[in-house]
PDB file of all heavy atoms in Angstrom:
ATOM      1  N   SER I 294      33.030  54.856   2.790  1.00  0.00           N
ATOM      2  CA  SER I 294      34.106  54.548   1.847  1.00  0.00           C
ATOM      3  C   SER I 294      34.850  55.813   1.434  1.00  0.00           C
ATOM      4  O   SER I 294      36.088  55.847   1.404  1.00  0.00           O
ATOM      5  CB  SER I 294      33.536  53.849   0.606  1.00  0.00           C
ATOM      6  OG  SER I 294      32.902  52.641   0.946  1.00  0.00           O
ATOM      7  N   LEU I 295      34.104  56.862   1.110  1.00  0.00           N
ATOM      8  CA  LEU I 295      34.730  58.115   0.688  1.00  0.00           C
ATOM      9  C   LEU I 295      35.481  58.788   1.838  1.00  0.00           C
ATOM     10  O   LEU I 295      36.559  59.363   1.645  1.00  0.00           O
ATOM     11  CB  LEU I 295      33.678  59.052   0.104  1.00  0.00           C
ATOM     12  CG  LEU I 295      33.025  58.574  -1.203  1.00  0.00           C
ATOM     13  CD1 LEU I 295      31.895  59.503  -1.612  1.00  0.00           C
ATOM     14  CD2 LEU I 295      34.062  58.471  -2.317  1.00  0.00           C
ATOM     15  N   ALA I 296      34.920  58.687   3.033  1.00  0.00           N
ATOM     16  CA  ALA I 296      35.610  59.256   4.198  1.00  0.00           C
ATOM     17  C   ALA I 296      36.934  58.534   4.434  1.00  0.00           C
ATOM     18  O   ALA I 296      37.945  59.158   4.780  1.00  0.00           O
ATOM     19  CB  ALA I 296      34.723  59.151   5.439  1.00  0.00           C
ATOM     20  N   ALA I 297      36.942  57.213   4.236  1.00  0.00           N
ATOM     21  CA  ALA I 297      38.161  56.426   4.424  1.00  0.00           C
ATOM     22  C   ALA I 297      39.228  56.789   3.402  1.00  0.00           C
ATOM     23  O   ALA I 297      40.420  56.864   3.723  1.00  0.00           O
ATOM     24  CB  ALA I 297      37.831  54.931   4.341  1.00  0.00           C
ATOM     25  N   VAL I 298      38.811  57.024   2.162  1.00  0.00           N
ATOM     26  CA  VAL I 298      39.762  57.436   1.126  1.00  0.00           C
ATOM     27  C   VAL I 298      40.391  58.778   1.492  1.00  0.00           C
ATOM     28  O   VAL I 298      41.583  59.004   1.280  1.00  0.00           O
ATOM     29  CB  VAL I 298      39.060  57.512  -0.251  1.00  0.00           C
ATOM     30  CG1 VAL I 298      39.936  58.218  -1.279  1.00  0.00           C
ATOM     31  CG2 VAL I 298      38.724  56.104  -0.737  1.00  0.00           C
ATOM     32  N   GLY I 299      39.588  59.644   2.077  1.00  0.00           N
ATOM     33  CA  GLY I 299      40.111  60.936   2.503  1.00  0.00           C
ATOM     34  C   GLY I 299      41.189  60.834   3.559  1.00  0.00           C
ATOM     35  O   GLY I 299      42.009  61.757   3.715  1.00  0.00           O
ATOM     36  N   ARG I 300      41.245  59.705   4.273  1.00  0.00           N
ATOM     37  CA  ARG I 300      42.250  59.523   5.333  1.00  0.00           C
ATOM     38  C   ARG I 300      43.336  58.510   4.959  1.00  0.00           C
ATOM     39  O   ARG I 300      44.112  58.112   5.815  1.00  0.00           O
ATOM     40  CB  ARG I 300      41.554  59.096   6.634  1.00  0.00           C
ATOM     41  CG  ARG I 300      40.545  60.111   7.153  1.00  0.00           C
ATOM     42  CD  ARG I 300      41.169  61.450   7.509  1.00  0.00           C
ATOM     43  NE  ARG I 300      42.015  61.350   8.683  1.00  0.00           N
ATOM     44  CZ  ARG I 300      41.583  61.487   9.942  1.00  0.00           C
ATOM     45  NH1 ARG I 300      40.300  61.700  10.169  1.00  0.00           N
ATOM     46  NH2 ARG I 300      42.423  61.406  10.948  1.00  0.00           N
ATOM     47  N   GLY I 301      43.364  58.108   3.678  1.00  0.00           N
ATOM     48  CA  GLY I 301      44.495  57.302   3.239  1.00  0.00           C
ATOM     49  C   GLY I 301      44.209  55.962   2.594  1.00  0.00           C
ATOM     50  O   GLY I 301      45.116  55.329   2.050  1.00  0.00           O
ATOM     51  N   ALA I 302      42.962  55.471   2.662  1.00  0.00           N
ATOM     52  CA  ALA I 302      42.643  54.217   1.966  1.00  0.00           C
ATOM     53  C   ALA I 302      42.759  54.461   0.464  1.00  0.00           C
ATOM     54  O   ALA I 302      42.413  55.533  -0.022  1.00  0.00           O
ATOM     55  CB  ALA I 302      41.239  53.743   2.320  1.00  0.00           C
ATOM     56  N   ARG I 303      43.207  53.432  -0.277  1.00  0.00           N
ATOM     57  CA  ARG I 303      43.368  53.615  -1.717  1.00  0.00           C
ATOM     58  C   ARG I 303      42.737  52.494  -2.536  1.00  0.00           C
ATOM     59  O   ARG I 303      42.981  52.379  -3.726  1.00  0.00           O
ATOM     60  CB  ARG I 303      44.849  53.775  -2.061  1.00  0.00           C
ATOM     61  CG  ARG I 303      45.421  55.144  -1.687  1.00  0.00           C
ATOM     62  CD  ARG I 303      44.721  56.266  -2.444  1.00  0.00           C
ATOM     63  NE  ARG I 303      45.210  57.591  -2.078  1.00  0.00           N
ATOM     64  CZ  ARG I 303      44.690  58.358  -1.126  1.00  0.00           C
ATOM     65  NH1 ARG I 303      43.630  57.909  -0.433  1.00  0.00           N
ATOM     66  NH2 ARG I 303      45.189  59.551  -0.877  1.00  0.00           N
ATOM     67  N   GLN I 304      41.936  51.653  -1.920  1.00  0.00           N
ATOM     68  CA  GLN I 304      41.116  50.704  -2.652  1.00  0.00           C
ATOM     69  C   GLN I 304      39.728  50.714  -2.035  1.00  0.00           C
ATOM     70  O   GLN I 304      39.588  50.672  -0.806  1.00  0.00           O
ATOM     71  CB  GLN I 304      41.688  49.285  -2.608  1.00  0.00           C
ATOM     72  CG  GLN I 304      40.780  48.244  -3.284  1.00  0.00           C
ATOM     73  CD  GLN I 304      41.369  46.848  -3.310  1.00  0.00           C
ATOM     74  OE1 GLN I 304      42.295  46.580  -4.071  1.00  0.00           O
ATOM     75  NE2 GLN I 304      40.859  45.953  -2.470  1.00  0.00           N
ATOM     76  N   ILE I 305      38.703  50.760  -2.889  1.00  0.00           N
ATOM     77  CA  ILE I 305      37.314  50.695  -2.426  1.00  0.00           C
ATOM     78  C   ILE I 305      36.671  49.451  -3.013  1.00  0.00           C
ATOM     79  O   ILE I 305      36.713  49.232  -4.227  1.00  0.00           O
ATOM     80  CB  ILE I 305      36.511  51.940  -2.838  1.00  0.00           C
ATOM     81  CG1 ILE I 305      37.092  53.198  -2.181  1.00  0.00           C
ATOM     82  CG2 ILE I 305      35.045  51.775  -2.441  1.00  0.00           C
ATOM     83  CD1 ILE I 305      36.362  54.483  -2.577  1.00  0.00           C
ATOM     84  N   GLU I 306      36.068  48.631  -2.156  1.00  0.00           N
ATOM     85  CA  GLU I 306      35.358  47.437  -2.593  1.00  0.00           C
ATOM     86  C   GLU I 306      33.869  47.782  -2.683  1.00  0.00           C
ATOM     87  O   GLU I 306      33.293  48.328  -1.733  1.00  0.00           O
ATOM     88  CB  GLU I 306      35.626  46.279  -1.637  1.00  0.00           C
ATOM     89  CG  GLU I 306      37.132  46.044  -1.484  1.00  0.00           C
ATOM     90  CD  GLU I 306      37.505  44.725  -0.844  1.00  0.00           C
ATOM     91  OE1 GLU I 306      36.594  43.945  -0.508  1.00  0.00           O
ATOM     92  OE2 GLU I 306      38.712  44.477  -0.687  1.00  0.00           O
ATOM     93  N   CYS I 307      33.274  47.499  -3.822  1.00  0.00           N
ATOM     94  CA  CYS I 307      31.920  47.967  -4.086  1.00  0.00           C
ATOM     95  C   CYS I 307      31.236  47.055  -5.088  1.00  0.00           C
ATOM     96  O   CYS I 307      31.842  46.107  -5.597  1.00  0.00           O
ATOM     97  CB  CYS I 307      31.969  49.409  -4.605  1.00  0.00           C
ATOM     98  SG  CYS I 307      33.178  49.668  -5.929  1.00  0.00           S
ATOM     99  N   THR I 308      29.967  47.337  -5.378  1.00  0.00           N
ATOM    100  CA  THR I 308      29.197  46.530  -6.330  1.00  0.00           C
ATOM    101  C   THR I 308      28.341  47.424  -7.214  1.00  0.00           C
ATOM    102  O   THR I 308      27.987  48.545  -6.843  1.00  0.00           O
ATOM    103  CB  THR I 308      28.250  45.534  -5.607  1.00  0.00           C
ATOM    104  OG1 THR I 308      27.320  46.276  -4.808  1.00  0.00           O
ATOM    105  CG2 THR I 308      29.016  44.564  -4.739  1.00  0.00           C
ATOM    106  N   ILE I 309      28.000  46.906  -8.396  1.00  0.00           N
ATOM    107  CA  ILE I 309      27.065  47.596  -9.284  1.00  0.00           C
ATOM    108  C   ILE I 309      25.691  47.631  -8.610  1.00  0.00           C
ATOM    109  O   ILE I 309      25.212  46.636  -8.066  1.00  0.00           O
ATOM    110  CB  ILE I 309      26.960  46.868 -10.637  1.00  0.00           C
ATOM    111  CG1 ILE I 309      28.330  46.836 -11.338  1.00  0.00           C
ATOM    112  CG2 ILE I 309      25.907  47.524 -11.516  1.00  0.00           C
ATOM    113  CD1 ILE I 309      28.852  48.182 -11.769  1.00  0.00           C
ATOM    114  N   ASN I 310      25.064  48.792  -8.634  1.00  0.00           N
ATOM    115  CA  ASN I 310      23.725  49.007  -8.044  1.00  0.00           C
ATOM    116  C   ASN I 310      23.704  48.817  -6.525  1.00  0.00           C
ATOM    117  O   ASN I 310      22.632  48.747  -5.929  1.00  0.00           O
ATOM    118  CB  ASN I 310      22.673  48.091  -8.678  1.00  0.00           C
ATOM    119  CG  ASN I 310      22.496  48.340 -10.164  1.00  0.00           C
ATOM    120  OD1 ASN I 310      22.830  49.412 -10.666  1.00  0.00           O
ATOM    121  ND2 ASN I 310      21.979  47.351 -10.875  1.00  0.00           N
ATOM    122  N   GLY I 311      24.887  48.709  -5.884  1.00  0.00           N
ATOM    123  CA  GLY I 311      24.915  48.511  -4.438  1.00  0.00           C
ATOM    124  C   GLY I 311      24.429  47.142  -4.015  1.00  0.00           C
ATOM    125  O   GLY I 311      24.043  46.927  -2.861  1.00  0.00           O
ATOM    126  N   LEU I 312      24.470  46.172  -4.936  1.00  0.00           N
ATOM    127  CA  LEU I 312      24.013  44.815  -4.652  1.00  0.00           C
ATOM    128  C   LEU I 312      24.835  44.200  -3.520  1.00  0.00           C
ATOM    129  O   LEU I 312      26.003  44.519  -3.353  1.00  0.00           O
ATOM    130  CB  LEU I 312      24.173  43.977  -5.922  1.00  0.00           C
ATOM    131  CG  LEU I 312      23.305  42.736  -6.109  1.00  0.00           C
ATOM    132  CD1 LEU I 312      21.839  43.131  -6.204  1.00  0.00           C
ATOM    133  CD2 LEU I 312      23.730  42.002  -7.380  1.00  0.00           C
ATOM    134  N   GLY I 313      24.230  43.320  -2.744  1.00  0.00           N
ATOM    135  CA  GLY I 313      24.983  42.647  -1.686  1.00  0.00           C
ATOM    136  C   GLY I 313      24.086  42.131  -0.579  1.00  0.00           C
ATOM    137  O   GLY I 313      22.871  42.336  -0.592  1.00  0.00           O
ATOM    138  N   GLU I 314      24.711  41.459   0.388  1.00  0.00           N
ATOM    139  CA  GLU I 314      23.954  40.879   1.504  1.00  0.00           C
ATOM    140  C   GLU I 314      23.204  41.954   2.289  1.00  0.00           C
ATOM    141  O   GLU I 314      23.658  43.089   2.406  1.00  0.00           O
ATOM    142  CB  GLU I 314      24.909  40.132   2.440  1.00  0.00           C
ATOM    143  CG  GLU I 314      25.488  38.868   1.836  1.00  0.00           C
ATOM    144  CD  GLU I 314      26.206  38.031   2.875  1.00  0.00           C
ATOM    145  OE1 GLU I 314      27.399  38.255   3.099  1.00  0.00           O
ATOM    146  OE2 GLU I 314      25.560  37.151   3.463  1.00  0.00           O
ATOM    147  N   ARG I 315      22.075  41.561   2.834  1.00  0.00           N
ATOM    148  CA  ARG I 315      21.227  42.432   3.648  1.00  0.00           C
ATOM    149  C   ARG I 315      20.903  43.725   2.878  1.00  0.00           C
ATOM    150  O   ARG I 315      20.264  43.674   1.846  1.00  0.00           O
ATOM    151  CB  ARG I 315      21.889  42.719   5.002  1.00  0.00           C
ATOM    152  CG  ARG I 315      22.206  41.463   5.804  1.00  0.00           C
ATOM    153  CD  ARG I 315      22.779  41.815   7.183  1.00  0.00           C
ATOM    154  NE  ARG I 315      23.818  42.813   7.144  1.00  0.00           N
ATOM    155  CZ  ARG I 315      25.099  42.564   6.844  1.00  0.00           C
ATOM    156  NH1 ARG I 315      25.499  41.341   6.581  1.00  0.00           N
ATOM    157  NH2 ARG I 315      25.973  43.553   6.796  1.00  0.00           N
ATOM    158  N   ALA I 316      21.357  44.871   3.360  1.00  0.00           N
ATOM    159  CA  ALA I 316      21.057  46.144   2.701  1.00  0.00           C
ATOM    160  C   ALA I 316      22.038  46.472   1.583  1.00  0.00           C
ATOM    161  O   ALA I 316      21.947  47.530   0.962  1.00  0.00           O
ATOM    162  CB  ALA I 316      21.059  47.272   3.741  1.00  0.00           C
ATOM    163  N   GLY I 317      22.978  45.564   1.316  1.00  0.00           N
ATOM    164  CA  GLY I 317      23.880  45.755   0.183  1.00  0.00           C
ATOM    165  C   GLY I 317      25.220  46.356   0.551  1.00  0.00           C
ATOM    166  O   GLY I 317      25.553  46.580   1.722  1.00  0.00           O
ATOM    167  N   ASN I 318      26.017  46.597  -0.477  1.00  0.00           N
ATOM    168  CA  ASN I 318      27.354  47.166  -0.361  1.00  0.00           C
ATOM    169  C   ASN I 318      27.373  48.609  -0.842  1.00  0.00           C
ATOM    170  O   ASN I 318      26.379  49.126  -1.347  1.00  0.00           O
ATOM    171  CB  ASN I 318      28.337  46.359  -1.223  1.00  0.00           C
ATOM    172  CG  ASN I 318      28.604  44.971  -0.678  1.00  0.00           C
ATOM    173  OD1 ASN I 318      29.520  44.753   0.088  1.00  0.00           O
ATOM    174  ND2 ASN I 318      27.778  44.010  -1.096  1.00  0.00           N
ATOM    175  N   ALA I 319      28.527  49.227  -0.752  1.00  0.00           N
ATOM    176  CA  ALA I 319      28.702  50.551  -1.339  1.00  0.00           C
ATOM    177  C   ALA I 319      28.494  50.443  -2.842  1.00  0.00           C
ATOM    178  O   ALA I 319      29.013  49.537  -3.489  1.00  0.00           O
ATOM    179  CB  ALA I 319      30.106  51.072  -1.027  1.00  0.00           C
ATOM    180  N   ALA I 320      27.725  51.360  -3.420  1.00  0.00           N
ATOM    181  CA  ALA I 320      27.410  51.332  -4.849  1.00  0.00           C
ATOM    182  C   ALA I 320      28.558  51.932  -5.645  1.00  0.00           C
ATOM    183  O   ALA I 320      28.926  53.088  -5.432  1.00  0.00           O
ATOM    184  CB  ALA I 320      26.120  52.092  -5.122  1.00  0.00           C
TER     185      ALA I 320
END
């Protein structure tokens, strides 16, 4: 996610505590 922001992304989709399916999402 952070690498993508460095190249121009300007929205990050994430969850509290990295909760999410399987191993989770970006925290």
Side-chain angles (χ1 to χ4, degrees):
S294 300
L295 294 174
V298 168
R300 299 298 291 272
R303 285 298 178 268
Q304 176 177 287
I305 297 178
E306 305 194 1
C307 48
T308 61
I309 299 294
N310 298 338
L312 204 64
E314 291 191 272
R315 302 184 313 279
N318 290 269

